């Protein structure tokens, strides 16, 4: 399978905007997904502007750990088994 189209979504804003964009694209005749969505996740860059300026860690290992934890929670939620985060 070859990737024909991609959409980079920053982690700010309202998620419903992506749905609105997809509906508009399909209404215009674009079907790049063939019924599927492939999600890609990254650690973010540049570290200073995206993390340090907000008091978040810039170390790659720390960010990878946070990303893994968040993705794990998302997967459990989609499977119907969300687990509360300890306080």
């Amino acid at each position: 399978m070859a990737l024909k189209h991609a959409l980079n979504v920053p982690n700010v804003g309202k998620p419903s905007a992506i749905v609105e964009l997809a509906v508009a694209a399909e209404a215009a005749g674009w079907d790049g997904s063939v019924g599927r969505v492939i999600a890609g996740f990254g650690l973010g860059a540049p570290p200073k502007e995206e993390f340090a300026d907000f008091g978040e860690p810039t170390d790659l290992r720390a960010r990878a750990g946070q990303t893994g934890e968040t993705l794990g929670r998302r997967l459990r939620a989609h499977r119907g088994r969300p687990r509360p985060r300890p306080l």
Side-chain angles (χ1 to χ4, degrees), residues 17-78:
I18 301 306
V19 175
E20 294 167 9
L21 178 62
V23 169
E26 287 184 358
W30 182 69
D31 184 19
S33 68
V34 191
R36 293 173 287 182
V37 173
I38 300 171
F41 300 90
L43 299 180
K48 180 187 180 312
E49 290 82 359
E50 287 205 15
F51 300 99
D53 288 352
F54 297 98
E56 296 291 329
T58 58
D59 175 70
L60 286 176
R61 289 184 190 271
R63 290 183 11 228
Q66 289 176 333
T67 301
E69 180 183 333
T70 300
L71 289 176
R73 272 191 261 128
R74 296 271 180 169
L75 287 172
R76 286 189 296 275
H78 284 287

